[in-house]
Amino acid sequence: EAGVTQSPRYAVLQEGQAVSFWCDPISGHDTLYWYQQPRDQGPQLLVYFRDEAVIDNSQLPSDRFSAVRPKGTNSTLKIQSAKQGDTATYLCASRGTGAYEQYFGPGTRLTVL
Amino acid sequence: AQSVTQPDARVTVSEGASLQLRCKYSYSATPYLFWYVQYPRQGLQLLLKYYSGDPVVQGVNSFEAEFSKSNSSFHLQKASVHWSDSAVYFCALSPPCVCSWQLIFGSGTQLTVMP
């Protein structure tokens, strides 16, 4: 069974540029999470979906962040006009129906100069 | 409010020594508890989990953890570490009454195993 995949693995931007991160969850997993992990900190939830619906996006740091999962499978997280404070690793995780465990992808390490 | 505290940011042990990584949680009831490990440039991998029952839970690679309700703790232990155990370890809780199964993480403990 393939795990959670993410791309790109690394991104380096200047302030003000936009960037998108892509996540392919484990096949059949209905719930998908995006986490932000600043350097030397634990992951913090940004948003999560059940199928194509956004269940909770209240922890997105600003309206510069948006996330979609249009067909209930793959998901895209986008940052408009990135800032240095957005520098972090962005992790995607998925969970199957009725399960408790989340499975994580390798993450995208973002550096904003 | 719920939270997880890992008081030791860095731990260094010699190969073959025993290990304990500490985790304290704050939650009004008994949460679901997890330990994850993160190797360099990789995502988080689940080591073990506690939902209920026997307070000592076994995980992968001979790791185990002990839940203590009285101490609000979930410490990770290993009898004999190997150099390949060097990584960052995260303790996390999930409130069982919230349907999101959101994970709340501690800040992590960087483990270095000296040869």
Side-chain angles (χ1 to χ4, degrees), chain B:
Chain B
Q2 50 258 31
S3 65
V4 175
T5 301
Q6 295 180 248
D8 305 308
R10 297 181 184 275
V11 170
T12 300
V13 297
S14 298
E15 194 168 26
S18 63
L19 170 71
Q20 183 185 73
L21 300 182
R22 296 184 291 164
C23 172
K24 299 270 287 183
Y25 69 88
S26 175
Y27 186 64
S28 56
T30 299
Y32 295 159
L33 294 161
F34 305 83
W35 275 98
Y36 282 86
V37 61
Q38 187 174 36
Y39 297 100
R41 295 173 296 281
Q42 295 187 29
L44 280 73
Q45 300 172 29
L46 182 65
L47 277 179
L48 47 79
K49 55 190 181 286
Y50 173 79
Y51 301 142
S52 64
D54 190 338
V56 178
V57 292
Q58 305 295 324
V60 301
N61 294 338
S62 302
F63 282 95
E64 66 176 36
E66 183 169 4
F67 167 70
S68 171
K69 186 173 182 179
S70 60
N71 293 323
S72 298
S73 67
F74 189 55
H75 300 330
L76 182 70
Q77 300 171 90
K78 189 171 184 178
S80 176
V81 297
H82 186 263
W83 64 266
S84 60
D85 292 326
S86 296
V88 181
Y89 291 78
F90 291 97
C91 182
L93 72 80
S94 183
C97 58
V98 176
C99 64
S100 70
W101 302 112
Q102 173 184 341
L103 287 170
I104 297 165
F105 286 89
S107 55
T109 297
Q110 172 75 60
L111 173 65
T112 300
V113 180
M114 304 295 289

Side-chain angles (χ1 to χ4, degrees), chain A residues 13-16 64 81-88 110-113:
Chain A
L13 309 174
Q14 298 289 334
E15 274 200 325
R64 296 184 296 105
S81 189
K83 298 185 177 182
Q84 288 187 355
D86 299 333
T87 294
L110 172 67
T111 301
V112 183
L113 302 174

Side-chain angles (χ1 to χ4, degrees), chain A residues 73-95:
Chain A
T73 52
N74 302 337
S75 177
T76 302
L77 176 69
K78 184 172 184 178
I79 305 176
Q80 298 273 17
S81 189
K83 298 185 177 182
Q84 288 187 355
D86 299 333
T87 294
T89 297
Y90 291 83
L91 296 166
C92 178
S94 68
R95 179 176 65 83

